[in-house]
Each structure stands twice: as structure tokens, then as C-alpha cells.
Amino acid sequence: MERKLVSIQVVESLAPIEGADQIEQARVMGWTVVVKKGEFRPGDRCVFFEIDSVLPSSAPWAEFMRSRGFRVRTIKLRGVLSQGLALPTTILDGEVPEVGTDVRDRLGVTKYEAVLPDAREVAGGFPALVPKTDEIRLQSALGVLDEMRGQAFYVSTKLDGSSATFFRAPEGEFVACSRNWALAPGPNPIWRAAERYDLAKRLPPGIAVQGELCGPGIQKNRLGLSEVDVFMFGVYDARVGRYLDFADFIGFCKEYGLRTVPIEREVRGDEALHFEHTLDRWLETARGLYAGTKNRKEGIVVRPLVESRSATLGGRLSFKVINNDFLLKDEA
Ligand code: ATP
Ligand code: MN
């Protein structure tokens, strides 16, 4: 699900910040956000901007963000983590739509995208038969906690690289894709990965395999790899329109000699039945380092062992939990 970057939300509660008289902390969905003191009362509606919103530089209500380049990011104010931005609905200058409504376009907000350093040649659009890779942040979809409760699940490490999708159409054509595009065959790292595993020949028709390309020159190479490789996190069968369950996904990768993202734990049986799915516990679990490095990991991705549908997400049940330490110290 594409997250709602800017939407109408409810300020659930407010709490003072020690030593601060101009600001206080508000709770919006699962987020803690610092707001101007007295601007909201509990239950008020607000316009909530998620992290990586880029505000329009011409709007008077956004002017105070000029020194920050108009980009909303995770910051710490008086020792309090602020994730997002809550502004009064008066900035809408008109009728306030119902809670949950996406007002990104109405306000002219765009999303910050880190640009990859190497320009890659685009061969065409992303294959329509395959879902693009994406994960919703837990704090934006707390309903998934209830949906996960009692289910067997697994936790993988979220790698901070670049998304890659390899797909053979049911009619036979093979494509290697970045996050949003099919790439022209050439010396780019995604096609090199395809060659390394001979995917153009070996991938069965209708199957897409998706992973994170990591290594030197990609993001900050926090895994400390000496060469680029791809770590798979999903296998999709386009003929039936479904991702393979965990066991089949692992089996598939074994058969094709593909690496997977690190699997941190598998939780099943009694442990799954009694697992305490709370935001705080997940935030704690998301902390830590990439194994064998001194680099903070970006976070984790949580999915049921057996694929299931999420009403909250309107699609596949799966979410990411970003490591708050990573956000504060490492985000460029
Ligand atoms: P946001 O949705 O928060 O705006 P974004 O769309 O840029 O951010 P990311 O934060 O990069 O998305 O998270 C989703 C991406 O994480 C996926 O597209 C995938 O490329 C990558 N990823 C890395 N590790 C994993 C993993 N273990 N499981 C699933 N996806 C992973
Ligand atoms: Mn996303």
C-alpha cells in the first residue's frame, strides 16, 4: 500500500515536555510528534505529514520549514523524538474532509526520494502483473498488530540498498527492474545480478523474485560487502497473483542458489499464540546492528509465515519497523 503521505488525522492525546514552554508532544496514529503548545486539544483533527513529506516552498504555512529544506524528517526536540508534522486544519483554507482523507495533492506536497548516483537506462514501465516492492510503516497502520496476533510469523532484517525485481512474463520475456522501472540490459548492477544467477535463463514463466541489491556504491553499504549482491525477500507467482509462503520462498531461493535477506526469527506455535504485539515491543525489536558490522540496521520487516490478507492495508499483510536509532543518526 502506498502510504498516505499527508492526511487528516486525530490528535489522540497531548503531553508536556519537561523544560519546554513553547512545545508539547502529541500522539497521532502510532506517531509521537512535537507540536506548538496550545495548538491542539485531544480529539482535534490535524493535517498530519509523514516523514519524507516535502512541503511546497511557496505556501505561507510551510515557510517555517525553509531552513530544513521543507523536508519533514525525524528530529529530537528537547529529548523527545518527533516523527512527522501536525498542523492545524486551517491550512487547508476551506472545507476539512473526513479523517483518513489523503490531502497530499491538495496541499502540493511531494515525497522525498533519495536519488541513486548512477543514472540507469530505462527500458519500460514496471511489469503490470507484479506488485512493486513496498512496506508500510507500523506506526501508520497499527491495525496490523491485531491482524498479526496469534499468527505464526517471521522477522527479516531490512537491508538498506536498492530494490530489484526479476520477472519472466508468462509468455516468456525476462525483465530486470529497479523500484519503478524495467531496465535496459547493460552494465548496471541489477542486470549484473541477473547474470550472476543466470535468471534470464532459469526463472520459470510467471515468476517474479524480488530482493534488495546491496554492496559498494549502493546507499552506504552498511553491510560492508566487498561486492554487490542481491538478497531476496519475496517470490511472486503472477499466474495465481500471490506471493509464495515463507517455506516455499526459502525453498525457491535454495533451489536457485539465491541469497535471502537475513531471517532473524521465526515464531510459531505457542510462542506465536502468546506473542505480545505492541508498538513498543516492535520498536525495541527493530533496534540493533547489521550482523557482523558496527552499523545500525535500518529496521525489520514482519510477515506471517503463511501469506494472508490485511484489511487494514487493503492488501498483503506485511509491515516494516524502522529502527529509531538509525533514523536519528544515519538518515542522510
Ligand atoms: P516509505 O514507504 O516509508 O516512504 P520507501 O517506500 O522508500 O519508504 P522503504 O523504507 O525503502 O520504502 O521500505 C520498503 C523497501 O524496503 C522495499 O521496497 C524493499 O526494497 C526494501 N527492503 C529491504 N529489506 C527488506 C526486507 N527484509 N523485506 C522487505 N523489503 C525490504
Ligand atoms: Mn513506501
Side-chain angles (χ1 to χ4, degrees), residues 3 111 133-134 137 156-159 179 212 320:
R3 67 183 165 131
K111 180 163 180 247
T133 66
D134 201 14
R137 297 186 190 216
S156 67
T157 308
K158 188 167 191 300
L159 301 181
R179 182 87 183 263
E212 196 78 352
K320 69 181 170 190

Side-chain angles (χ1 to χ4, degrees), residues 152-227:
F153 65 91
Y154 70 101
V155 178
S156 67
T157 308
K158 188 167 191 300
L159 301 181
D160 183 27
S162 184
S163 171
T165 293
F166 307 95
F167 176 54
R168 181 188 306 288
E171 313 79 51
E173 198 208 347
F174 175 83
V175 286
C177 312
S178 64
R179 182 87 183 263
N180 294 309
W181 304 97
L183 303 179
N188 68 66
I190 291 184
W191 268 97
R192 250 185 267 141
E195 284 154 18
R196 174 174 189 158
Y197 295 99
D198 206 13
L199 292 175
K201 267 212 206 96
R202 297 173 67 213
L203 208 58
I207 296 293
V209 53
Q210 301 185 301
E212 196 78 352
L213 199 73
C214 297
I218 301 173
Q219 304 287 22
K220 292 185 181 156
N221 188 19
R222 287 187 175 87
L223 291 178
L225 301 177
S226 55
E227 57 174 345

